PDB file of all heavy atoms in Angstrom:
ATOM      1  N   PRO A 134      20.770  -2.972 -30.494  1.00 94.00           N
ATOM      2  CA  PRO A 134      20.197  -3.232 -29.167  1.00 94.00           C
ATOM      3  C   PRO A 134      20.251  -4.698 -28.743  1.00 94.00           C
ATOM      4  O   PRO A 134      20.357  -4.991 -27.546  1.00 94.00           O
ATOM      5  CB  PRO A 134      18.749  -2.755 -29.317  1.00 94.00           C
ATOM      6  CG  PRO A 134      18.780  -1.773 -30.435  1.00 94.00           C
ATOM      7  CD  PRO A 134      19.825  -2.293 -31.384  1.00 94.00           C
ATOM      8  N   ASP A 135      20.176  -5.616 -29.688  1.00 93.00           N
ATOM      9  CA  ASP A 135      20.179  -7.042 -29.335  1.00 93.00           C
ATOM     10  C   ASP A 135      21.505  -7.486 -28.739  1.00 93.00           C
ATOM     11  O   ASP A 135      21.580  -8.535 -28.095  1.00 93.00           O
ATOM     12  CB  ASP A 135      19.858  -7.902 -30.564  1.00 93.00           C
ATOM     13  CG  ASP A 135      18.415  -7.736 -31.017  1.00 93.00           C
ATOM     14  OD1 ASP A 135      17.589  -7.273 -30.212  1.00 93.00           O
ATOM     15  OD2 ASP A 135      18.118  -8.063 -32.186  1.00 93.00           O
ATOM     16  N   GLN A 136      22.561  -6.716 -28.961  1.00 93.00           N
ATOM     17  CA  GLN A 136      23.873  -7.068 -28.418  1.00 93.00           C
ATOM     18  C   GLN A 136      24.285  -6.123 -27.280  1.00 93.00           C
ATOM     19  O   GLN A 136      25.459  -6.009 -26.959  1.00 93.00           O
ATOM     20  CB  GLN A 136      24.918  -7.032 -29.535  1.00 93.00           C
ATOM     21  CG  GLN A 136      24.656  -8.040 -30.644  1.00 93.00           C
ATOM     22  CD  GLN A 136      25.678  -7.981 -31.768  1.00 93.00           C
ATOM     23  OE1 GLN A 136      26.734  -7.342 -31.635  1.00 93.00           O
ATOM     24  NE2 GLN A 136      25.378  -8.634 -32.886  1.00 93.00           N
ATOM     25  N   SER A 137      23.314  -5.481 -26.677  1.00 95.00           N
ATOM     26  CA  SER A 137      23.605  -4.522 -25.608  1.00 95.00           C
ATOM     27  C   SER A 137      24.221  -5.227 -24.405  1.00 95.00           C
ATOM     28  O   SER A 137      23.769  -6.301 -23.991  1.00 95.00           O
ATOM     29  CB  SER A 137      22.319  -3.810 -25.183  1.00 95.00           C
ATOM     30  OG  SER A 137      22.553  -3.009 -24.036  1.00 95.00           O
ATOM     31  N   PRO A 138      25.253  -4.632 -23.804  1.00 96.00           N
ATOM     32  CA  PRO A 138      25.856  -5.209 -22.597  1.00 96.00           C
ATOM     33  C   PRO A 138      25.050  -4.903 -21.325  1.00 96.00           C
ATOM     34  O   PRO A 138      25.431  -5.340 -20.240  1.00 96.00           O
ATOM     35  CB  PRO A 138      27.225  -4.535 -22.541  1.00 96.00           C
ATOM     36  CG  PRO A 138      26.997  -3.199 -23.174  1.00 96.00           C
ATOM     37  CD  PRO A 138      25.990  -3.436 -24.272  1.00 96.00           C
ATOM     38  N   ILE A 139      23.971  -4.157 -21.475  1.00 97.00           N
ATOM     39  CA  ILE A 139      23.132  -3.820 -20.318  1.00 97.00           C
ATOM     40  C   ILE A 139      22.120  -4.940 -20.107  1.00 97.00           C
ATOM     41  O   ILE A 139      21.222  -5.147 -20.925  1.00 97.00           O
ATOM     42  CB  ILE A 139      22.397  -2.483 -20.528  1.00 97.00           C
ATOM     43  CG1 ILE A 139      23.399  -1.364 -20.830  1.00 97.00           C
ATOM     44  CG2 ILE A 139      21.554  -2.133 -19.307  1.00 97.00           C
ATOM     45  CD1 ILE A 139      22.760  -0.052 -21.228  1.00 97.00           C
ATOM     46  N   THR A 140      22.294  -5.680 -19.035  1.00 95.00           N
ATOM     47  CA  THR A 140      21.412  -6.821 -18.748  1.00 95.00           C
ATOM     48  C   THR A 140      20.025  -6.332 -18.325  1.00 95.00           C
ATOM     49  O   THR A 140      19.899  -5.478 -17.444  1.00 95.00           O
ATOM     50  CB  THR A 140      22.002  -7.693 -17.631  1.00 95.00           C
ATOM     51  OG1 THR A 140      23.313  -8.124 -18.021  1.00 95.00           O
ATOM     52  CG2 THR A 140      21.124  -8.907 -17.368  1.00 95.00           C
ATOM     53  N   ALA A 141      19.002  -6.872 -18.963  1.00 95.00           N
ATOM     54  CA  ALA A 141      17.631  -6.471 -18.644  1.00 95.00           C
ATOM     55  C   ALA A 141      17.254  -6.945 -17.247  1.00 95.00           C
ATOM     56  O   ALA A 141      17.503  -8.095 -16.873  1.00 95.00           O
ATOM     57  CB  ALA A 141      16.664  -7.047 -19.676  1.00 95.00           C
ATOM     58  N   ARG A 142      16.653  -6.048 -16.480  1.00 94.00           N
ATOM     59  CA  ARG A 142      16.209  -6.375 -15.117  1.00 94.00           C
ATOM     60  C   ARG A 142      15.269  -5.273 -14.634  1.00 94.00           C
ATOM     61  O   ARG A 142      15.265  -4.162 -15.174  1.00 94.00           O
ATOM     62  CB  ARG A 142      17.390  -6.519 -14.167  1.00 94.00           C
ATOM     63  CG  ARG A 142      18.053  -5.203 -13.800  1.00 94.00           C
ATOM     64  CD  ARG A 142      19.408  -5.392 -13.171  1.00 94.00           C
ATOM     65  NE  ARG A 142      20.388  -5.757 -14.197  1.00 94.00           N
ATOM     66  CZ  ARG A 142      21.648  -6.096 -13.924  1.00 94.00           C
ATOM     67  NH1 ARG A 142      22.051  -6.168 -12.679  1.00 94.00           N
ATOM     68  NH2 ARG A 142      22.486  -6.381 -14.890  1.00 94.00           N
ATOM     69  N   ASP A 143      14.482  -5.604 -13.623  1.00 95.00           N
ATOM     70  CA  ASP A 143      13.589  -4.629 -12.992  1.00 95.00           C
ATOM     71  C   ASP A 143      14.065  -4.405 -11.565  1.00 95.00           C
ATOM     72  O   ASP A 143      14.221  -5.358 -10.802  1.00 95.00           O
ATOM     73  CB  ASP A 143      12.139  -5.126 -12.976  1.00 95.00           C
ATOM     74  CG  ASP A 143      11.516  -5.112 -14.357  1.00 95.00           C
ATOM     75  OD1 ASP A 143      11.950  -4.291 -15.194  1.00 95.00           O
ATOM     76  OD2 ASP A 143      10.602  -5.916 -14.610  1.00 95.00           O
ATOM     77  N   LEU A 144      14.273  -3.145 -11.209  1.00 95.00           N
ATOM     78  CA  LEU A 144      14.715  -2.796  -9.867  1.00 95.00           C
ATOM     79  C   LEU A 144      13.597  -2.041  -9.161  1.00 95.00           C
ATOM     80  O   LEU A 144      13.207  -0.953  -9.592  1.00 95.00           O
ATOM     81  CB  LEU A 144      15.973  -1.925  -9.917  1.00 95.00           C
ATOM     82  CG  LEU A 144      17.200  -2.515 -10.629  1.00 95.00           C
ATOM     83  CD1 LEU A 144      18.348  -1.509 -10.600  1.00 95.00           C
ATOM     84  CD2 LEU A 144      17.613  -3.827  -9.984  1.00 95.00           C
ATOM     85  N   LEU A 145      13.059  -2.639  -8.083  1.00 95.00           N
ATOM     86  CA  LEU A 145      12.074  -1.955  -7.254  1.00 95.00           C
ATOM     87  C   LEU A 145      12.830  -1.224  -6.158  1.00 95.00           C
ATOM     88  O   LEU A 145      13.437  -1.850  -5.283  1.00 95.00           O
ATOM     89  CB  LEU A 145      11.075  -2.953  -6.649  1.00 95.00           C
ATOM     90  CG  LEU A 145       9.991  -2.358  -5.762  1.00 95.00           C
ATOM     91  CD1 LEU A 145       9.172  -1.318  -6.526  1.00 95.00           C
ATOM     92  CD2 LEU A 145       9.080  -3.445  -5.211  1.00 95.00           C
ATOM     93  N   LEU A 146      12.822   0.099  -6.213  1.00 95.00           N
ATOM     94  CA  LEU A 146      13.642   0.911  -5.324  1.00 95.00           C
ATOM     95  C   LEU A 146      12.785   1.643  -4.302  1.00 95.00           C
ATOM     96  O   LEU A 146      11.762   2.242  -4.645  1.00 95.00           O
ATOM     97  CB  LEU A 146      14.448   1.930  -6.138  1.00 95.00           C
ATOM     98  CG  LEU A 146      15.377   1.334  -7.206  1.00 95.00           C
ATOM     99  CD1 LEU A 146      15.908   2.426  -8.114  1.00 95.00           C
ATOM    100  CD2 LEU A 146      16.526   0.586  -6.549  1.00 95.00           C
TER     101      LEU A 146
END
Side-chain angles (χ1 to χ4, degrees):
D135 291 341
Q136 298 179 12
S137 172
I139 304 172
T140 303
R142 73 195 75 186
D143 288 333
L144 302 179
L145 180 58
L146 302 169

